[in-house]
Every structure is written in C-alpha cells, then in structure tokens.
Amino acid sequence: MRQRLVVIGNGMAGARTVEEILARGGDFAITMFGDEPYGNYNRIMLSNVLAGVEDESGIFLNDLSWYADNGITLHTGTRIERIDRFARMVYATDGTATPYDKLIIATGSRAFVPPIPGLHRPGRGYHQGVFAFRTLDDTRAMIRYAKEHERAVVIGGGLLGLEAARGLQNHLPHVTLIHAAGHLMNAQLNEVAGETLRATIERKLGIEVVVSAQTTEILGKHAVTGVRLADGRVIGCDVVVVAAGIRANAEMAAASGLVVERGIVVDDQMRAQDEDDIYAVGECAQHRGETYGLVAPLWDQAKVLADHLTGVNPFAEYHGSQVATKLKVAGVDVASMGLKEPERDDDESLTFTEPGKGVYKNVIIRDGRLVGATMVGDVKKVAFLMQAFDRGLALPEERAELMFDLGGPAGEVKVEDMPDDEQVCNCNGVSKGAICSTVQSGCKTVSGVMDKTRAGKGCGTCKPIVQRIVEWAAGGEVEEDPAASYYVPGIPMPKPELMNAIRLHDLRSVSSVFATLGGEEDAKSKMGLASLLKMMWGGDYVDERDARFINDRVHANIQRDGTFSVVPQMKGGVTTPAQLRRIAEVAEKHEVPMVKLTGGQRIDLLGIPKEKLPEVWADLDMPSGYAYGKSFRTVKTCVGSDFCRFGVGDSTALGIALEERYQGIEGPGKMKLAVTGCPRNCAEAYVKDLGVVAIDGGKWEIYVGGAAGAHIRKGDLLTTVDSADEVMVLTGRFLQYYRENANWLERTYAFVPRIGIDRVREIVVDDKDGIAAGLDAAMEASVAAYRDPWKDRDQPATPGQFRTSLPLTVLPQVPVRA
C-alpha cells in the first residue's frame, strides 16, 4: 500500500517539494491543502502583477490540471486547524479529517502588520483603504482600490515595500514610502548603499521616501485620510499599504504541540523536532536558528527533503544557505550577499561610490575569500562575485578587478566555466545543469527551455545568461522558436496556413481539426480554435461545448465565488427609462447582490448563480451585452452633437450603428470600440482597439490599436474619412483583417505594432493587396450569422448547460454594498 503523504500548504515551498518528490519517482498517495482558492503561483511575481507588467495568468506555476495529471488530491480554500500527532491525522476547518503517514508543513509566512492605531476597525478587519501585500487577493484588491484614489503611503522600506511603491505608481499619481529604519533595505544593505538606493528612487521614479519615521496612527473616520508619524508630521493619503516584513505561519503547528520558536524548529533533514514523520520547509521552518524569506533556501530545502523522503538519499542534509540575491528593486539593479559591513579589524573592504549616477559598490574580503558584496545601480560584476562568494574562489591580487573590468575576471562569467550545479535562476531554482540537460534532450529554443525549466520566468534578470547557456549548450545552433508564430500552441501552423488547411479539409469543429491536422489537444488551443472556426464558418460552425471556456458555454462572466455577472446590451451606452425600470425590477426580484456601472457604459448585475441565468435573462428580455468573451464588446460614446455644445459629429448614432453591426463578432481577443463627437475625447476613443473621433468639416478620424488597461497605448491614426458610411466600411474591414491575422489572445495594441500601421493602412485603406472585397464579404457573413446567445434560455445547448456544479460554498459571496 502506498504511503499517504499530506502537505499542508500549496505555496511555492509545498508545491516545489512535491515536484521534487515526483521527479525522483516518489510513490506516495499525495494530498495537499491550500488556503487560497488557486493552484500554485509565484508570489515573487505579485509585484509585476501590481505594476501591470505581468498578467495574473503568467504567474501560475502549476494550474489545477497539474494536480489532476499527477494524481494529487488538492483541497483549495481549505485551512488545516489542527494536527493530531498521535492519531496521525490533520483536521480542517471544514470539519474533515485526513490521515497521513508522512506530513509536510509548508504554511509559509504572512504579512507582519505592526499594531498601529487606526489600522483596523472593529468587526471590519482593515480600515477602508488599508491593505497588506502578500497574496494574489491582496494585490487584486489593492489595484481595484488604488485606481480610484490619488495618494498612497507604503509602510516598509524593504524589498516588498519598494516593489509595492513602484507598482502603485501605475495606478495613482502620488506615492510616499515610510520606513522606520535609517535607510532602505536595511536587512540587506549598509547605510551608504541604502542612501544611494533612496536617492535613485526619488530622483528617477518620483517616489517620496521618508526614513527614520515611525508611523503612530492611521487617520480617517470612514476611510483613510492620512498617517501620523512619531514626530507629529501628518502625510495625507487615501491608500495605505503595509509591507513591514513577514512572520512565519507557525501558530497551527505550535497549537498542535510542535516545537516552534521563530518558526517550526527542524533538523538537517527538515524533520520537526522530536517527530519521526512530520517535516517543515520554506518560510515557516526554522533551521539552526535561521528562518529564510528568499526562494533560494526554499529550493535547497525542498531538494533535501525529497531526497530523504523518496529514499534517493535517505541521509541527505540541509546545512543552511548562503544568501545571495540579485534583483531589480523598483527598477533599480541591486545585488547583495553575505556581510554588508566589515566585522573584524583585518577584514578588507573596498568601496566605490558615484552618487550622481546612483552607483555604489562594496566588497568585503576575509582571509583571501569574499565574505560580502553589495552593488546598487551597476551589477555587471555580480556573476563572478556570486561564484566567488558561494564557492570560495581565489580572488585576483588586484582587488579593484572585483568591481571593474581591468583585465581581470570578465564582467560576465564564461558559461563553460560555470559548474553544472550553479543556480542561474534564483526565483525558480534552476541550475546551469538543468538548462543544459533540457537542451541535450532536444529542446534547442530559448523560449522552449524557459518554458520547460521555468528559468527566466521569475524576475527575469537572468534571461540573458539563460540565453547564453542555451546557445552554448546547443553548440551555437539555437533554433528559432517556431511556436512563436503558431496561432495556438497545440497546432504547429501559423494562422494563414491553419486557415487554408481548415478550408481545404472543410473542418468545422475543433475535434475534426485535431483529428485531421494532428497536434496536442489542450484547453488554450481548443478555445482559440473554437473562436477561429466560428469566425470562419459563422452559423455553419459545429459547436462542441468542451472546446469552450465556461464563460462562452453559459454566456456570462464567471466571478471569483462561482457566480456570474450579467450585462445586458445597451447600444452605444444609451438606455431608456423602461429598460432601467426592468433592470431594477429584475435586480430586486432575484436579490442581485450588486448592481454596478461598467467602464463601457453598461449595467452589470453581479452575483447571479449559474442555474438562475436563464430566468434572469428571460425577465430582462434584453440581448446579451457580450461582456464575457473574446469578442466585440461595446461601443462607448459621448452625447455627441445633439446635446454637447462642443460636438461636431453625431457620435451616439454612429456608436449605436457600429454596435448593431458588430454585436457578437468573435475575435482573437476582446474588441472595445468608442466614438467621440469631438477631439476632446470624452469617450476615450484614442485608447480603444478601434476609436472614431469626429473633427471639423464633418470628417471622422479612425484610430486602431489603442489600450487603456494593463497596457496603455494611444491608437494609431488609420485614416480620416468624410462620412459615417466610410467609417462603417473601414472599421469592418480592419476588424476582419485583425480577426484573420492576429494570433489567439493577441489584442490590437500588440497586433497593430507587429504588423505596422503603414502596412495596415496599405491593406485596409488602400487595398494594396486586393483583398478588401474579401474582407468586407467575410465581415458581412459574420454579421448575418448573429444570434443572441441568451436565446439559449429557451433551449439549452446541453441538458447541463445551466445546471450548477457549485456551490461548494454558500452563494453568492459577492459583498453587498448599499
């Protein structure tokens, strides 16, 4: 009988340990428990999500299918409250009990929130406008709130606080960082280095930094209005982010009788003190008096524990980690390892500073060995320094060569000189040997190696050396990644070639495409193919429900609690008293938890259970607003020339006409449109996928490729036309060209720059390729095939289309606001 391995914690440490166990062929029946309702994600990347440079989907290390594929029973959103060490059982807050033979505790850490008056409100948790920064939910909440406010204060000048401050700048205009210590990153940097970092951040990023400042009170009765410091200063703000460090999540372990100090005390095999079969890894573990908050020690611990548990090396031991980090902190290169200041009289110390350029370098040498180094603003020599620090390499006689290229060690360590076990990607614990092994197994593209090993998928600072290693390991024969040109990853064909093959073989369903063309069936590819086939065949497309995402199957947008949002169509953002009364009556009848105006000038009914969707649609008796799919969404308009004294064009009428024409049109990505009646741009047409702007003389400007979400881009001017009729023709032609040539999930803000606006203009406006008539005809066919998807309420596509597989919890969970 297989041994039962239970892992408490589904974060980076727990999942990585399980990965290491699986890689060694460990034969366990594995059960994992995680507090959060997701798969395993890279917590380090939350700062990138906050900064808008990374999509949430890009930070997940293992999605839910990974657990199923590996036979792992995963309980998400489930907290373990107690361990019975004698009965060998764990008890969850949902009342379930799970037996174990081996138990791993990987509960990680939580944000440390100092006891500052005003941070909390009795019975409400954090005060309105106060956030911690530790989880994906924290990040989402922070983004949502920050976008509607002006000034933020970040409490904490460590790595996390700096990243939070940098990320918040993307959502509001004023950010102040308050740090209690005398200089930034005082745990890693000495005073001069911290001051150099502060000056750079203030000068280059415009973040105000206040050091030696103790926050004594959060101000504001109903919401945050400011913070008070110990010296009496008050800093006005409407958002407060607490990033003052972390603490090990070890209370449950302590309550269960395990030995806990700063963390769960473990031995060199990561075994909890006085326990035979209970282990701890990651930030919740305390080894030889140390707890670690960086990922590199976590990877080391996971390997040792996996070796031990699987029997690959029953005597494997963890002896602690030398902490060396190279990071981009709030956009500034920083590296730190070992000592930050000399400790002995005979320690050698070399320092170079160039404050005007924000550069600080310092190395500390003891007995001819590097025992510490700090670099801010210039990390060219850090690769050699990290090797020297980690392996005790001999140092050059000319010590200055440790900081500068003076004929000594090269600025970049030669790849061939790097040992196989040298860690290249600190974020994901990937060594040079792992990269080389992947190349030798046949993967010779840089992106392919990165996908397989995750090297370079963290902070990204190691990408250049990953590329060099791949090039070296491939003998200089790195292959261009053909997958970069595929429409979907599962079918190895560029989009034009794929469309030709679909037409040639008359393929009208996703399954027939895979059956005829081969390829690897995966969810992402299925959804992309379903969209493409519907675009190509219109009403003759054969719909297969398993090829569609849940939103497309039930024609509504799934929410975090499993309920759905319902957005009825309001063409051009125009409604009537009768429609508003009907929406209000439906909201009351079905006790809709939240009614919300959208950014696209629509009304969103949030918190609708799946099984109630048909009834809500029937009561509304309005068409779908398509606020859920990769498709045409809305046309936002201003009031135009009928009412506005500045309007020079009837934007409302044109917006309604555009929405009537393109309703339900599917595409590779969302298509958001706007029409504005004058260049004042009240409808934000310049930052839409397609925007139309009325100008003097009865003319209209057409812009394409704009965005104002996570990516911000002003659209390119496609052309100026003399009539609304020309707008209708050219917008349809552009949208069809985009639909036929963009890769799956490629929005216009990426598509237009990739093709080039001049080339787009040649095709769409000038018809240089002679395909305009074909594009117009294809769009016309799609328009003619429109059918309101909410008609499914009368005749569901499948018996279970609106049958709930939830709730796992009482629904709805969306908060009600008066």
Side-chain angles (χ1 to χ4, degrees):
M1 181 178 174
R2 299 165 74 197
Q3 284 199 309
R4 298 163 298 190
L5 173 64
V6 170
V7 182
I8 305 174
N10 186 34
M12 295 174 71
R16 183 54 174 253
T17 305
V18 171
E19 286 181 351
E20 296 285 354
I21 289 171
L22 295 173
R24 289 160 176 75
D27 187 22
F28 293 96
I30 301 174
T31 301
M32 299 183 71
F33 293 89
D35 275 1
E36 296 182 75
Y38 317 109
N40 170 241
Y41 63 86
N42 189 337
R43 204 174 299 278
I44 297 169
M45 301 294 284
L46 289 177
S47 57
N48 282 358
V49 175
L50 179 61
V53 300
E54 188 77 44
D55 187 77
E56 284 183 13
S57 61
I59 70 171
F60 278 88
L61 300 171
N62 298 304
D63 59 23
L64 297 178
S65 64
W66 175 82
Y67 299 88
D69 292 344
N70 288 285
I72 298 167
T73 302
L74 173 66
H75 299 278
T76 59
T78 305
R79 173 165 296 196
I80 296 299
E81 63 178 359
R82 181 168 64 91
I83 302 167
D84 187 330
R85 296 144 51 216
F86 305 102
R88 302 165 80 84
M89 300 281 284
V90 297
Y91 295 89
T93 51
D94 62 4
T96 58
T98 304
Y100 67 83
D101 298 306
K102 301 288 183 182
L103 176 65
I104 298 174
I105 304 172
T107 45
S109 62
R110 65 183 181 282
F112 169 64
V113 179
I116 302 171
L119 267 179
H120 297 88
R121 284 290 182 269
R124 289 175 44 192
Y126 290 128
H127 191 21
Q128 182 81 21
V130 174
F131 300 89
F133 183 30
R134 190 63 185 156
T135 68
L136 184 55
D137 286 347
D138 292 339
T139 309
R140 287 172 173 170
M142 205 186 312
I143 291 172
R144 282 196 300 270
Y145 196 84
K147 283 180 176 176
E148 299 175 351
H149 294 82
E150 296 291 322
R151 305 185 69 92
V153 162
V154 177
I155 299 174
L159 173 62
L160 198 62
L162 286 161
E163 293 288 2
R166 182 73 180 102
L168 284 167
Q169 280 193 306
N170 288 278
H171 306 290
L172 39 68
H174 304 287
V175 179
T176 302
L177 189 147
I178 296 173
H179 192 43
H183 63 273
L184 296 178
M185 291 186 69
N186 53 293
Q188 294 87 15
L189 305 180
N190 61 33
E191 184 176 355
V192 181
E195 175 59 20
T196 303
L197 180 61
R198 182 200 63 76
T200 301
I201 286 173
E202 286 195 324
R203 184 176 64 251
K204 289 187 175 180
L205 305 181
I207 296 172
E208 181 186 0
V209 178
V210 184
V211 296
S212 302
Q214 194 75 36
T215 306
T216 57
E217 186 179 3
I218 306 299
L219 305 175
K221 184 177 180 181
H222 302 294
V224 168
T225 58
V227 300
R228 189 190 308 280
L229 305 183
D231 61 6
R233 280 181 290 174
V234 171
I235 299 176
C237 65
D238 39 30
V239 178
V240 171
V241 175
V242 182
I246 58 175
R247 295 291 184 272
N249 280 325
E251 289 80 358
M252 181 275 297
S256 301
L258 297 178
V259 178
V260 173
E261 294 173 358
R262 293 165 55 214
I264 302 167
V265 178
V266 297
D267 63 15
D268 289 349
Q269 293 183 321
M270 309 310 297
R271 184 189 289 107
Q273 184 171 313
D274 301 327
E275 299 294 331
D276 292 331
D277 298 307
I278 300 177
Y279 303 83
V281 291
E283 293 169 341
C284 68
Q286 177 182 318
H287 174 263
R288 298 189 183 183
E290 294 287 340
T291 56
Y292 296 95
L294 299 171
V295 292
L298 179 159
W299 305 143
D300 294 339
Q301 294 173 2
K303 290 175 184 173
V304 167
L305 182 52
D307 279 345
H308 169 72
L309 282 178
T310 59
V312 169
N313 179 6
F315 308 106
E317 292 185 341
Y318 174 70
H319 295 146
S321 297
Q322 291 204 91
V323 178
T325 59
K326 173 178 175 289
L327 300 164
K328 193 175 281 291
V329 180
V332 182
D333 285 319
V334 175
S336 170
M337 61 201 81
L339 301 181
K340 55 185 180 181
E341 291 179 305
E343 291 180 341
R344 299 180 185 174
D345 293 339
D346 58 349
D347 283 345
E348 297 178 55
S349 179
L350 288 81
T351 301
F352 172 81
T353 63
E354 195 172 6
K357 293 185 177 179
V359 174
Y360 173 87
K361 304 180 184 185
N362 170 257
V363 296
I364 302 169
I365 301 163
R366 179 179 297 168
D367 300 330
R369 296 287 184 265
L370 185 70
V371 293
T374 303
M375 303 205 143
V376 176
D378 179 0
V379 296
K380 294 187 184 74
K381 302 290 290 187
V382 73
F384 172 77
L385 292 176
M386 290 182 81
Q387 273 199 15
F389 174 74
D390 190 49
R391 301 177 183 282
L393 301 181
L395 303 179
E397 288 298 322
E398 294 295 332
R399 301 300 201 212
E401 293 175 354
L402 292 169
M403 295 183 178
F404 309 100
D405 288 331
L406 301 175
E412 291 183 338
V413 174
K414 291 181 179 178
V415 168
E416 54 267 40
D417 293 338
M418 295 171 61
D420 280 351
D421 62 349
E422 180 166 338
Q423 192 151 287
V424 175
C425 176
N426 289 327
C427 295
N428 286 312
V430 184
S431 68
K432 173 197 168 187
I435 295 171
C436 293
S437 176
T438 304
V439 174
Q440 287 154 9
S441 68
C443 182
K444 294 188 178 181
T445 65
V446 175
S447 59
V449 171
M450 289 172 63
D451 286 340
K452 286 179 178 293
T453 64
R454 296 182 187 157
K457 295 283 188 177
C459 69
T461 58
C462 66
K463 286 181 181 176
I465 194 167
V466 171
Q467 179 169 352
R468 288 170 50 212
I469 293 172
V470 173
E471 291 171 348
W472 173 77
E477 296 180 355
V478 173
E479 298 170 358
E480 186 176 343
D481 185 3
S485 65
Y486 298 165
Y487 170 64
V488 292
I491 303 286
M493 289 183 179
K495 191 169 185 179
E497 186 180 335
L498 174 61
M499 291 175 65
N500 288 336
I502 289 172
R503 290 193 185 98
L504 175 66
H505 298 287
D506 195 29
L507 307 175
R508 296 178 185 247
S509 69
V510 172
S511 60
S512 68
V513 172
F514 281 114
T516 305
L517 305 181
E520 183 177 345
E521 294 193 28
D522 62 277
K524 186 176 180 181
S525 296
K526 284 183 175 180
M527 289 190 287
L529 286 171
S531 172
L532 179 64
L533 292 169
K534 190 170 182 184
M535 185 270 289
M536 293 178 65
W537 300 116
D540 294 328
Y541 154 69
V542 179
D543 190 5
E544 295 171 321
R545 312 303 287 181
D546 69 336
R548 289 184 168 267
F549 181 54
I550 179 65
N551 285 7
D552 298 305
R553 294 200 299 271
V554 301
H555 316 305
N557 195 2
I558 192 166
Q559 305 297 299
R560 59 184 299 181
D561 63 352
T563 63
F564 292 82
S565 79
V566 167
V567 180
Q569 186 183 59
M570 288 182 180
K571 295 172 186 173
V574 177
T575 186
T576 65
Q579 280 188 340
L580 293 175
R581 274 195 294 273
R582 196 180 314 145
I583 291 171
E585 289 167 1
V586 170
E588 286 188 342
K589 174 182 176 182
H590 295 280
E591 299 180 334
V592 174
M594 178 181 283
V595 181
K596 176 80 172 63
L597 296 181
T598 74
Q601 299 180 331
R602 305 295 184 268
I603 294 178
D604 195 349
L605 307 178
L606 291 144
I608 310 294
K610 182 180 174 185
E611 64 274 19
K612 274 198 163 188
L613 288 172
E615 187 181 351
V616 170
W617 296 339
D619 289 342
L620 283 171
D621 195 25
M622 296 170 66
S624 167
Y626 275 97
Y628 56 86
K630 306 305 178 194
S631 64
F632 166 85
R633 292 292 186 90
T634 59
V635 182
K636 188 174 184 178
T637 69
C638 64
V639 294
S641 54
D642 279 359
F643 291 92
C644 178
R645 57 196 173 96
F646 299 111
V648 295
D650 191 351
S651 54
T652 307
L654 181 55
I656 292 172
L658 287 169
E659 187 153 350
E660 282 183 347
R661 180 167 173 75
Y662 303 126
Q663 58 188 343
I665 296 292
E666 298 220 7
K670 292 181 282 190
M671 292 171 278
K672 297 182 178 179
L673 278 62
V675 183
T676 186
C678 78
R680 285 177 173 79
N681 193 31
C682 292
E684 302 166 341
Y686 295 130
V687 290
K688 296 298 183 183
D689 293 287
L690 195 157
V692 182
V693 180
I695 60 175
D696 286 337
K699 296 179 182 293
W700 298 89
E701 293 178 334
I702 302 174
Y703 291 83
V704 295
H711 301 269
I712 298 174
R713 182 178 190 271
K714 182 182 178 184
D716 296 320
L717 177 62
L718 178 68
T719 190
T720 302
V721 297
D722 295 325
S723 68
D725 289 343
E726 291 175 274
V727 171
M728 297 299 289
V729 171
L730 291 180
T731 52
R733 193 177 296 165
F734 168 76
L735 291 175
Q736 185 63 25
Y737 179 67
Y738 163 68
R739 297 169 74 205
E740 292 188 9
N741 292 276
N743 291 324
W744 177 235
L745 302 182
E746 183 181 30
R747 292 286 297 273
T748 62
Y749 64 76
F751 173 73
V752 171
R754 177 168 68 83
I755 302 298
I757 185 60
D758 292 338
R759 177 61 180 151
V760 173
R761 190 178 297 117
E762 284 180 353
I763 295 167
V764 174
V765 181
D766 304 331
D767 193 19
K768 190 173 182 179
D769 290 9
I771 62 173
L775 294 172
D776 294 345
M779 176 55 79
E780 194 59 40
S782 293
V783 169
Y786 167 74
R787 172 185 176 274
D788 177 16
W790 285 1
K791 296 293 185 186
D792 280 4
R793 64 178 182 258
D794 301 324
Q795 190 171 2
T798 64
Q801 183 177 7
F802 301 110
R803 184 186 304 147
T804 183
S805 55
L806 298 172
L808 300 176
T809 57
V810 177
L811 296 178
Q813 294 293 307
V814 177
V816 180
R817 295 185 185 177

